Amino acid sequence: MSETRAGHTEAEALYHRPAGLTDVQMRYCPGCTHGTAHKLIAEVLEELDIIERTVAVATVGCSVYAYEYFNTDAVQAAHGRGPAVATGIKRASPETIVFTYQGDGDLAAIGLSEVIHSAQRGEKMTVMFINNAVFGMTRGQMAPTTLVGQKTTTTPLGRDPEMSGMPMMICEMLSTNPGVAYLARETMIDPKTVRSAKRSIRKAFQTQIDGAGFSLVELISTCPAWWHKTPLEAMQWVRDEMLVQYPLGVFVDYDG
Amino acid sequence: MKKRFEVLINGEHCKACGVCLEFCPQDVLGVSEQRNKAGFYPVEVKKPEECTGCGHCALMCPDACIEIYRVPMEESVQS
Ligand SMILES: Cc1ncc(C[n+]2csc(CCOP(=O)(O)OP(=O)(O)O)c2C)c(N)n1
Ligand code: SF4
Ligand code: SF4
Ligand code: SF4
């Protein structure tokens, strides 16, 4: 039986740091659920035994260093262009498992075209879409996903739909797209939702392994720093406000 | 009571976000009096014998700092 890092046997481990993560400390703010999302993806890569044949596509945002955290090969794409880069990798090397890791600024603002066209073409890739309703890295500006009335650096009086339109609902938009094989929205605010998020992430990667088409999981995430909340207040705000605008669920399942 | 589970916390990676403290139903965890290199007061195990191995702390930790192991029967009886 193999030894784990702590010198215990695997059989005794109820929970270990997933092999899909490197030992590098993630640079996210305390309590930011970007880390939780990384951890769940890493667990799934380990459980599906695909770490060795996976390429992660890091994008622009707080997760710009994702290539240091995932224990896979990785590339770094220009802002919003993750799905275009992933398309190239997948087409050149169909055996490779490719996923992009994109924030809502990256995917829903500057990169909206890339994700829609990749879905439209049914590219056999997996997109991890982190929706925290702000541009975190650049200090909390409004994103397309910002809630009505939400105060951000660029909407100090709250988002006004007359001025900025309504929040963009990516899953609902993509759900009619024939290239999409798996599409779900999850969150990570208590043990139950974390377990559910992991099931959807696993299903999304399985979709790609099965060659069924495009898969995307939207993870409603926290940004304690720019929501000006503690990590626990931020989780409560997801429950009370974000989930009203963004209902959880599986929108498309090729095998369901 | 005997210790049935060992909870290991990577105190150097812990950012003292408090999420694990909130989700532990058994009040096993507490805060260290010593800062880590990054300047945070990391979480540590205060009442190991109370742990039921539910895994909530590890599931919720955004920094994957927590590992949980079952203590083999013989050892837990001896200790
Ligand atoms: C071409 C280009 N335009 C703008 C920027 C500035 N920029 C960096 S990160 C970012 C937004 C990131 O927000 P999001 O994708 O929501 O990720 P988060 O930081 O919230 O995780 C922007 C606009 C850039 N780096 N490159
Ligand atoms: S700025 Fe927001 S999204 Fe970025 S790491 Fe900090 S809390 Fe997370
Ligand atoms: S496994 Fe459960 S009981 Fe044990 S420390 Fe973690 S949350 Fe508490
Ligand atoms: S959840 Fe993780 S990072 Fe946060 S206080 Fe607990 S051990 Fe530290």
Side-chain angles (χ1 to χ4, degrees):
Chain A
M1 207 177 290
S2 62
E3 292 271 307
T4 65
R5 286 167 222 230
H8 292 250
T9 56
E10 264 170 24
E12 295 158 5
L14 297 182
Y15 192 88
H16 62 277
R17 186 174 166 97
L21 285 182
T22 62
D23 285 332
V24 174
Q25 181 179 30
M26 294 185 272
R27 292 179 188 77
Y28 300 111
C29 303
C32 171
T33 50
H34 259 304
T36 321
H38 280 48
K39 186 179 70 172
L40 297 180
I41 295 165
E43 287 175 19
V44 165
L45 296 178
E46 179 180 358
E47 287 168 20
L48 293 174
D49 197 15
I50 54 173
I51 295 172
E52 292 298 317
R53 62 173 176 126
T54 295
V55 175
V57 181
T59 59
V60 173
C62 289
S63 57
V64 68
Y65 290 117
Y67 55 83
E68 287 191 5
Y69 310 146
F70 290 114
N71 203 7
T72 61
D73 283 341
V75 289
Q76 221 289 308
H79 207 7
R81 311 300 178 235
V85 172
T87 298
I89 295 168
K90 190 70 184 182
R91 290 190 176 200
S93 173
E95 284 307 304
T96 298
I97 302 296
V98 189
F99 76 96
T100 66
Y101 187 101
Q102 304 178 258
D104 46 351
D106 190 90
L107 182 143
I110 195 169
L112 186 62
S113 172
E114 277 75 9
V115 73
I116 291 182
H117 281 284
S118 299
Q120 190 73 30
R121 296 190 306 266
E123 296 295 343
K124 296 174 181 63
M125 64 168 72
T126 301
V127 173
M128 292 292 141
F129 168 38
I130 310 298
N131 177 359
N132 60 13
V134 285
F135 290 6
M137 187 192 200
T138 47
R139 304 179 78 82
Q141 294 85 354
M142 185 186 81
T145 47
T146 295
L147 301 186
V148 172
Q150 184 183 340
K151 289 185 177 149
T152 69
T153 322
T154 45
T155 56
L157 302 176
R159 179 179 184 154
D160 173 5
E162 284 295 321
M163 172 87 104
S164 317
M166 292 294 285
M168 192 177 278
M169 301 175 74
I170 293 294
C171 281
E172 285 76 357
M173 278 169 59
L174 288 177
S175 64
T176 57
N177 190 309
V180 176
Y182 186 77
L183 183 62
R185 181 184 288 129
E186 302 279 359
T187 189
M188 301 161 292
I189 54 173
D190 56 28
K192 184 168 168 238
T193 51
V194 169
R195 286 197 183 97
S196 177
K198 183 171 167 186
R199 274 195 295 278
S200 279
I201 293 169
R202 195 183 163 102
K203 198 69 197 277
F205 279 96
Q206 191 63 49
T207 303
Q208 186 178 162
I209 293 168
D210 293 349
F214 181 91
S215 53
L216 180 146
V217 180
E218 174 173 350
L219 294 160
I220 304 296
S221 198
T222 62
C223 178
W226 299 111
W227 295 359
H228 304 285
K229 296 185 188 325
T230 67
L232 292 166
E233 286 167 357
M235 287 176 176
Q236 191 60 42
W237 194 75
V238 166
R239 196 185 298 283
D240 295 343
E241 307 287 339
M242 290 280 280
L243 298 189
V244 176
Q245 175 68 45
Y246 298 111
L248 304 179
V250 176
F251 292 77
V252 177
D253 186 350
Y254 68 108
D255 156 52
Chain B
M1 223 169 88
K2 303 278 184 263
K3 182 168 100 175
R4 289 175 297 153
F5 300 95
E6 184 155 17
V7 179
L8 300 176
I9 298 169
N10 182 339
E12 285 306 322
H13 279 203
C14 174
K15 297 172 186 163
C17 71
V19 170
C20 56
L21 299 177
E22 173 72 13
F23 285 95
C24 174
Q26 296 291 108
D27 214 13
V28 171
L29 307 169
V31 177
S32 168
E33 283 166 14
Q34 306 262 308
R35 284 180 209 246
N36 63 18
K37 282 201 200 83
F40 296 111
Y41 291 97
V43 160
E44 60 185 23
V45 180
K46 298 279 193 193
K47 295 188 231 161
E49 65 291 343
E50 298 288 331
C51 177
T52 59
C54 71
H56 288 184
C57 55
L59 211 53
M60 295 307 296
C61 175
D63 284 275
C65 301
I66 305 183
E67 297 192 303
I68 306 169
Y69 295 89
R70 196 186 300 280
V71 176
M73 266 307 210
E74 324 81 75
E75 265 180 55
S76 79
V77 172
Q78 278 161 21
S79 60

